[in-house]
Amino acid sequence: MELVAADAARLTPAHLAALPLEVARPAYDRNALRVGIVHLGLGAFARAHLAAVNEAALHAGADLAWGICGVSLRQADTRDALAPQAGLYTLALRSADATGREQQQATVIGCLLEMLVAPEDPPAVLARIAHADTRIVSVTVTEKGYCHDPASGRLNLQHPDIVHDLAQPLLPRSTIGFLVWGLQQRRATGRGPITLMSLDNLPSNGHLLRGMVLAFARQVDPALATWIETLCAFPCSMVDRIVPRTTDQDRRDVAQALGLHDAWPVLGEPYLEWVVEDQFAAGRPDWAAGGARFVAEAAPFETLKLRTVNGAHSALAYLSVMAGWATVDEAMAQPALKAYLAALMQDEIVPTLPPLPGLDLARYQQRLLQRFENPALKHQTRQIAMDGSQKLPQRLLDTVRARLAADLPIGKLALAVAAWLHFLRGVDEAGLRYDIQDPMAAELAQRYAQAELAAECGGPGPAAMLAWTETLTGVVAVFGDLGADPRFVQAVSQAAHALRSQGVGGALNGALA
């Protein structure tokens, strides 16, 4: 993180009135605001999505009992950056006009009142979850934060953090451990139930979170599990906004817009979609004022987003990293890749989607490609490529299963899957190395080495790649039973052979032929 000069003017409550007129800032009485929402996983996405929508609700007249306590589960960097700013930070929404000129809309967000760092003081986090004012606990901890088996969706009771948390009720490490032990304290002190809300890119994320919490709670106390199951709410939701990682140049650009230094602003695209089931155990803010859509069932919207936005994003990322295209807009400038993504959605993803009355799917796909083309975001393809073992099952493999169940071809999806397997070698087409950032990195590296050996023994050409693919798709935690389906393995093998023999460009052209 860029260091702040000793004499730099810092964004603080005392400086709000001096901000340029075009910069929005809190208009409610921030001193009267109190915490009603505890958010686990205080990263850029939560600050660009949940907090932004909550801020709009407060401006629309929501009860001032809906401030946010943000909890960092691993590192203190966000707290350290924002504590001197009393939790204030800038949300910079970036886009480009018809001529390609970049533009920015800056808003100072004020609803983040408190920040905790879980490893520093686990009991403080538990106390905040159990606090009488807390009515919602939300989470954005990414797919790997649920300590579950991605293929089966079950809590991994052998996960080191889960083993630790079951034995240490006052010193948990995992998201699930903090939630259950915090709920245990609520129940023990006679406080009411709350809503636990996942905002992560997972199918039926509320149901998944509920399953993880109940599985852990049953290990602790069946009566606690019954209390949670009967009284607490777990709404499903779909969230959609592209939020790239903040760079030092972004900090400089935001400082220029504010006339003040913000140690950790967040960036995002103007587009925002939040569909959430209206099932809350202890009330909620009027997030509709900030653009949220409340529905009876979020599943169709979740499927739409996971398969189109996230599926296309992952396909783009793995192909782009291998080809050396560093940002999403750079990748989208490649005609073959853009055409492939359009065909992937139209030919193989859209036919698997559930009915969504009133949605113009053709317009939705067109707009998605335009969002990817946004040159103002500079979204790094390696950032999207992280944690593929946790992302592939819901982003690509569920779509593959749907098509195979209908006996439909999967050639374009297979290229996306093969791109991830190809990406695991850790060297791009220019010979530049990169790290594989994945919770299964060690196991995947070992399996990749086995696949290379299998290919050497498998004979020349396609036969070698079939042996290679069989080895890698045999990772049950990722692929489940797909690794035993010859239709899937053969299609991925053919795509992997094209990537190996023709490179990304040749494989894309072959997929479009």
Side-chain angles (χ1 to χ4, degrees):
M1 186 187 302
E2 188 179 61
L3 296 177
V4 184
D7 59 349
R10 188 76 171 262
L11 173 64
T12 68
H15 290 100
L16 288 175
L19 289 170
L21 292 177
E22 64 270 19
V23 178
R25 79 289 311 266
Y28 49 86
D29 183 0
R30 196 165 183 258
N31 290 324
L33 194 62
R34 66 182 193 273
V35 170
I37 302 167
V38 176
H39 184 80
L40 305 184
L42 186 60
F45 186 80
R47 294 196 286 137
H49 194 286
L50 169 69
V53 174
N54 198 60
E55 188 82 357
L58 291 170
H59 279 117
D63 188 339
L64 292 179
W66 291 112
I68 297 174
C69 168
V71 179
S72 295
L73 293 169
R74 293 288 181 264
Q75 298 174 321
D77 47 3
T78 303
R79 190 275 315 277
D80 292 348
L82 299 187
Q85 301 174 187
L88 295 174
Y89 66 91
T90 311
L91 171 60
L93 301 182
R94 293 182 175 177
S95 59
D97 62 19
T99 67
R101 186 169 63 92
E102 296 182 9
Q103 46 199 10
Q104 173 176 282
Q105 174 189 348
T107 299
V108 173
I109 303 295
C111 62
L112 180 61
L113 288 183
E114 180 178 292
M115 290 161 288
L116 300 175
V117 180
E120 290 182 359
D121 193 354
V125 178
L126 296 173
R128 180 48 83 180
I129 293 173
H131 196 284
D133 287 345
T134 299
R135 291 189 274 171
I136 296 172
V137 178
S138 53
V139 299
T140 50
V141 292
T142 75
E143 296 87 346
K144 64 185 175 184
Y146 289 76
C147 299
H148 74 306
D149 175 19
S152 70
R154 296 188 184 93
L155 181 66
N156 180 3
L157 291 171
Q158 277 69 54
H159 190 288
D161 286 350
I162 298 299
V163 172
H164 171 275
D165 290 359
L166 285 169
Q168 299 286 341
L170 297 179
L171 300 171
R173 295 173 181 166
S174 72
T175 302
I176 306 304
F178 274 109
L179 291 176
V180 174
W181 290 120
L183 289 171
Q184 191 267 348
Q185 288 190 17
R186 286 191 75 87
R187 178 171 175 262
T189 53
R191 291 170 184 156
I194 57 175
T195 298
L196 297 99
M197 180 175 63
S198 170
L199 302 178
D200 282 303
N201 289 318
L202 291 157
S204 301
N205 53 14
H207 300 319
L208 178 71
L209 180 61
R210 182 176 184 269
M212 301 302 102
V213 166
L214 291 177
F216 189 102
R218 290 187 188 107
Q219 299 292 315
V220 173
D221 179 0
L224 172 63
T226 300
W227 183 85
I228 296 170
E229 186 173 22
T230 305
L231 297 176
C232 292
F234 294 82
C236 294
S237 67
M238 181 277 279
V239 294
D240 190 6
R241 168 171 270 172
I242 295 171
V243 181
R245 183 178 286 121
T246 303
T247 67
D248 285 342
Q249 183 59 52
D250 296 326
R251 291 182 176 88
R252 288 188 285 270
D253 293 342
V254 168
Q256 185 174 9
L258 268 59
L260 299 166
H261 179 81
D262 181 347
W264 208 322
V266 292
L267 316 178
E269 61 175 337
Y271 181 92
L272 181 147
E273 184 74 37
W274 185 13
V275 178
V276 58
E277 293 174 348
D278 201 0
Q279 301 170 11
F280 290 79
R284 60 166 175 79
D286 181 18
W287 286 323
R293 185 191 317 183
F294 291 99
V295 298
E297 184 181 7
F301 299 94
E302 291 175 345
T303 302
L304 169 71
K305 196 256 180 168
L306 285 167
R307 294 187 182 182
T308 55
V309 182
N310 298 122
H313 233 177
S314 286
L316 177 153
Y318 298 119
L319 290 163
S320 297
V321 171
M322 295 305 299
W325 304 323
T327 63
V328 173
D329 60 302
E330 180 186 354
M332 290 298 291
Q334 314 300 320
L337 181 67
K338 182 178 178 180
Y340 161 74
L341 292 177
L344 171 67
M345 287 191 288
Q346 181 60 37
D347 297 346
E348 297 190 6
I349 295 176
V350 167
T352 73
L353 297 177
L356 281 162
L359 179 67
D360 184 340
L361 273 171
R363 172 61 185 146
Y364 182 88
Q365 295 170 72
Q366 181 184 27
R367 186 173 186 180
L368 176 56
L369 294 174
Q370 291 169 348
R371 290 169 61 196
F372 287 176
E373 291 175 319
N374 186 346
L377 292 179
K378 302 293 186 289
H379 199 181
Q380 298 291 312
T381 53
R382 287 192 188 179
Q383 180 187 355
I384 304 166
M386 292 169 56
D387 302 334
S389 69
Q390 312 298 297
K391 295 175 178 177
L392 250 69
Q394 58 271 6
R395 294 187 176 199
L396 293 168
L397 302 183
D398 282 350
T399 315
V400 167
R401 285 188 172 89
R403 291 191 65 82
L404 291 177
D407 201 24
L408 295 171
I410 58 167
K412 297 177 181 67
L413 286 161
L415 177 58
V417 175
W420 178 61
L421 301 180
H422 194 42
F423 161 86
L424 292 178
R425 71 177 181 170
V427 182
D428 69 15
E429 292 182 351
L432 299 176
R433 294 191 172 276
Y434 51 84
D435 292 331
I436 304 298
Q437 298 183 49
D438 193 291
M440 293 180 62
E443 178 181 344
L444 292 171
Q446 183 180 25
R447 186 62 71 106
Y448 193 90
Q450 293 171 356
E452 291 291 293
L453 182 60
E456 291 178 9
C457 300
M465 289 314 299
L466 182 59
W468 183 88
T469 304
E470 287 174 340
T471 303
L472 285 170
T473 56
V475 180
V476 176
V478 177
F479 293 100
D481 59 356
L482 277 176
D485 190 324
R487 297 171 298 171
F488 172 70
V489 176
Q490 184 65 40
V492 173
S493 174
Q494 291 173 353
H497 179 64
L499 287 168
R500 280 285 186 104
S501 61
Q502 303 170 41
V504 170
L508 286 171
N509 289 329
L512 294 168

